[in-house]
Amino acid sequence: MTYEKVKNLNPEEFKRFCGVYPETFKDMVKVLAAEKVLQKKSGRPSKLSLEDQILMILEYLREYRTYFHLAINWEINETTALRIQQFSF
């Protein structure tokens, strides 16, 4: 489920879905956006938005899903799911 579908949930439902409140989620986006600005990267842009990447990471941490399942769910390559997860830590 993408961020566009989740962002309209009330704060309690949002927390039930991904484990953090919307304010915390927005802070996470700000921190990772600032980090991405400093990162020098070439190549194709990511298929997932930054918000979707964070949702995927929270899904990984909360549900202990495998990279294979994340890749199927988010329609990305398994290696890409691993790379996104590694960038966040």
Side-chain angles (χ1 to χ4, degrees):
M1 183 174 289
T2 64
Y3 178 69
E4 292 300 317
K5 296 177 184 175
V6 175
K7 70 180 181 180
N8 296 326
L9 296 175
N10 67 39
E12 290 78 25
E13 290 174 340
F14 190 91
K15 183 170 185 333
R16 281 184 66 195
F17 181 76
C18 61
V20 296
Y21 285 107
E23 298 81 23
T24 306
F25 186 85
K26 290 176 184 172
D27 290 341
M28 293 168 80
V29 171
K30 287 178 188 175
V31 169
L32 277 178
E35 191 67 30
K36 283 227 181 213
V37 168
L38 298 175
Q39 181 185 25
K40 184 178 180 182
K41 188 171 183 177
S42 60
R44 183 179 295 185
S46 179
K47 182 178 178 181
L48 300 178
S49 67
L50 191 58
E51 291 86 357
D52 288 341
Q53 291 179 22
I54 294 172
L55 274 179
M56 188 191 76
I57 293 164
L58 291 172
E59 186 177 324
Y60 170 77
L61 294 172
R62 191 168 168 85
E63 300 174 11
Y64 299 110
R65 298 188 69 188
T66 65
Y67 294 118
F68 175 75
H69 288 106
L70 290 171
I72 298 291
N73 188 39
W74 290 93
E75 299 176 356
I76 57 175
N77 193 312
E78 192 173 353
T79 311
T80 304
L82 171 67
R83 232 179 265 127
I84 290 171
Q85 188 271 335
Q86 287 177 339
F87 171 73
S88 66
F89 294 109

